[in-house]
Amino acid sequence: MEVINTSGRRKTSVARIYLSQGEGKITVNKREFADYFPSEVLQIKVQQPLELTNESGKYDINVNVQGGGINGQAEAVRLAISKALCEIDAEHRLTLKPEGFLTRDPRMVERKKPGRRKARRRFQFSKR
């Protein structure tokens, strides 16, 4: 099996993954998976598609991820892994699609507007 290359995005994070046959080793930005995502919640989030399709421990995954925060990066990696699993076997699509792992989350941070403190928050009103 050749190397499968896919990408995933979430907020401002972009993850590019290279999935190849192996023993389940995940490397993120040349660092160990557990070092890069120290939180248990984020580790589970990244491994969800592999657990769901019973493919954990079968593939080595090399990840390049940049931009955004740690949660957005984890979700970007999850989307990329899900896409790669669908390329390997189209049957995986039937299990991943209902869970929403193949959908790019379109929510982005709303821009700050002039005359406001944030996007929608107004400045404190002073009567006098």
Side-chain angles (χ1 to χ4, degrees), residues 56-74:
S56 51
K58 293 183 185 176
Y59 302 107
D60 283 345
I61 305 172
N62 188 11
V63 182
N64 288 328
V65 64
Q66 62 253 336
I70 196 157
N71 190 66
Q73 287 188 348

Side-chain angles (χ1 to χ4, degrees), residues 45-110:
K45 203 173 269 193
V46 168
Q47 290 172 326
Q48 270 177 324
L50 296 166
E51 300 292 330
L52 206 65
T53 56
N54 300 319
E55 298 287 352
S56 51
K58 293 183 185 176
Y59 302 107
D60 283 345
I61 305 172
N62 188 11
V63 182
N64 288 328
V65 64
Q66 62 253 336
I70 196 157
N71 190 66
Q73 287 188 348
E75 291 188 19
V77 172
R78 181 176 73 180
L79 176 61
I81 290 172
S82 301
K83 283 181 176 177
L85 290 172
C86 286
E87 271 187 41
I88 291 166
D89 185 3
E91 292 292 308
H92 291 324
R93 190 171 181 81
L94 301 171
T95 49
L96 294 170
K97 187 76 175 154
E99 297 294 323
F101 293 161
L102 296 172
T103 310
R104 155 74 156 104
D105 193 337
R107 294 177 295 171
M108 298 290 278
V109 177
E110 196 173 333

Side-chain angles (χ1 to χ4, degrees), residues 2-19:
E2 77 289 344
V3 176
I4 289 177
N5 174 344
T6 56
S7 65
R9 293 168 63 195
R10 170 75 168 97
K11 291 188 178 181
T12 56
S13 304
V14 180
R16 295 171 310 184
I17 72 155
Y18 302 92
L19 188 133

